[in-house]
Amino acid sequence: MKKFLGKAVLSAALVSALPQIAHARLNPVLDQAGPPATVFEPGHLPFTVTLRDDLVVDLETFAVFAHPGEQVRIRSNRPLSWIEGETSRPASAELDWTAPVAQGLTRVRLEDEDGNAMQLNLVVMRHQSPDDGETINGYRLGSYPSEPYLGHENYRAPESFLEVSEGLEDLAVSPHFRLGQFLCKQPANGGPQYLVLSERLLVKLERILEAANERGWRTDGFYVMSGYRTPAYNASIGNGANSRHIFGGAADIFIDTDGDGMMDDLNGDGVNDRQDAAALFDLVESLSQDPSFAELAGGLGEYAPNAHHGPFVHVDERGWNVQWGRPTR
């Protein structure tokens, strides 16, 4: 049984967390309980593909989110066959894809001459019409900032959103993450939910997860406490108007191998508290010193438990490194 500091506070936290924990237990996408496999499998391939000229991916499974009709540039460091259902393209290092105009999912297998394969889940999003105002197909989004933060293009309001129709929450977006883990907590009110999700964030989370296992924290995934937030939901919880969450580029995470909805005892002191979030923070901070991690630069925050949640770490992919919240070492 876990030991906590501050019984009154943590008891309230557990009570407040019950709806979230119950939802996780009912949704296998969010349920990361149960013993992990003996050996962690990072899911790397002996080849890479580069998406839109700047994101390098070497994972066995990956999702690409495209605007309707978008020309998606895909390049590989070796010739790959493009296998789509019963059709295929000759092996090539140039694997560009033109997204259909209609929203939906296309599954593609990229295979090298040795049989190594990447499963690409290509998802066409739904364009938001100006007539939709602060909604899309009845789902409330709220208002995005009229101008991108400090002129950064990745802070520009999204033009298309991914429609999460029934069953799509189970879609693998990378080897260890599913689409449903990043849904906003805002209810759908009878229709589908919508979100945006950064492909760069997925690569970053996979890198951190692999490092966590190398550190000795054996886990097959992170509990994503908060992924995408609509601007309306983000404002309702008092978060800043330029939060990376509203652009699908942030995740609040913790390690929870026993499925109790709280951070595990990572530092081995027998107590589950803020120092466990600090340990995860330090791991991510150490990765930022690696030049190969530079393309994944972003925010890193550490949070103490309160009446609404346990300790957790925020990570994002804003493009430059900034940190906050780490307690005194």
Side-chain angles (χ1 to χ4, degrees), residues 127-151:
H127 182 73
Q128 185 194 25
S129 167
D131 296 335
D132 290 334
E134 296 187 356
T135 68
I136 181 168
N137 194 27
Y139 185 67
R140 188 182 178 209
L141 296 174
S143 178
Y144 277 87
S146 58
E147 296 294 332
Y149 175 64
L150 299 178

Side-chain angles (χ1 to χ4, degrees), residues 44-188:
H44 292 306
L45 290 165
F47 62 81
T48 64
V49 298
T50 302
L51 302 174
R52 301 185 179 92
D53 295 324
D54 64 352
L55 181 62
V56 179
V57 179
D58 69 347
L59 300 170
E60 292 175 342
T61 304
F62 202 68
V64 176
F65 309 111
H67 302 291
E70 179 186 355
Q71 302 278 326
V72 180
R73 184 178 171 88
I74 306 173
R75 293 291 186 267
S76 176
N77 63 347
R78 68 174 63 174
L80 301 174
S81 297
W82 177 288
I83 304 169
E84 183 179 339
E86 299 299 320
T87 65
S88 63
R89 298 186 203 168
S92 174
E94 299 183 359
L95 302 158
D96 297 350
W97 176 63
T98 300
V101 174
Q103 65 189 47
L105 169 65
T106 300
R107 299 181 188 271
V108 170
R109 179 181 173 91
L110 302 181
E111 188 172 302
D112 69 10
E113 62 180 5
D114 298 321
N116 301 297
M118 175 184 291
Q119 173 70 42
L120 271 188
N121 293 321
L122 306 169
V123 185
V124 181
M125 299 185 289
R126 178 179 179 136
H127 182 73
Q128 185 194 25
S129 167
D131 296 335
D132 290 334
E134 296 187 356
T135 68
I136 181 168
N137 194 27
Y139 185 67
R140 188 182 178 209
L141 296 174
S143 178
Y144 277 87
S146 58
E147 296 294 332
Y149 175 64
L150 299 178
H152 295 289
E153 284 300 308
N154 59 339
Y155 279 84
R156 193 171 294 281
E159 296 179 354
S160 301
F161 293 82
L162 198 161
E163 182 177 296
V164 186
S165 54
E166 186 176 357
L168 199 62
E169 68 272 10
D170 293 322
L171 180 72
V173 291
S174 68
H176 301 95
F177 295 92
R178 300 292 181 269
L179 185 61
Q181 292 177 264
F182 300 91
L183 284 169
C184 182
K185 292 185 176 67
Q186 177 181 308

Side-chain angles (χ1 to χ4, degrees), residues 232-270:
Y233 180 82
N234 190 65
S236 75
I237 60 174
N239 212 296
N242 289 296
S243 166
R244 285 306 298 164
H245 286 279
I246 70 171
F247 302 97
D252 297 337
I253 60 173
F254 56 88
I255 294 176
D256 177 27
T257 56
D258 60 10
D260 68 350
M262 304 293 288
M263 176 79 86
D264 289 350
D265 176 19
L266 299 184
N267 65 357
D269 65 358

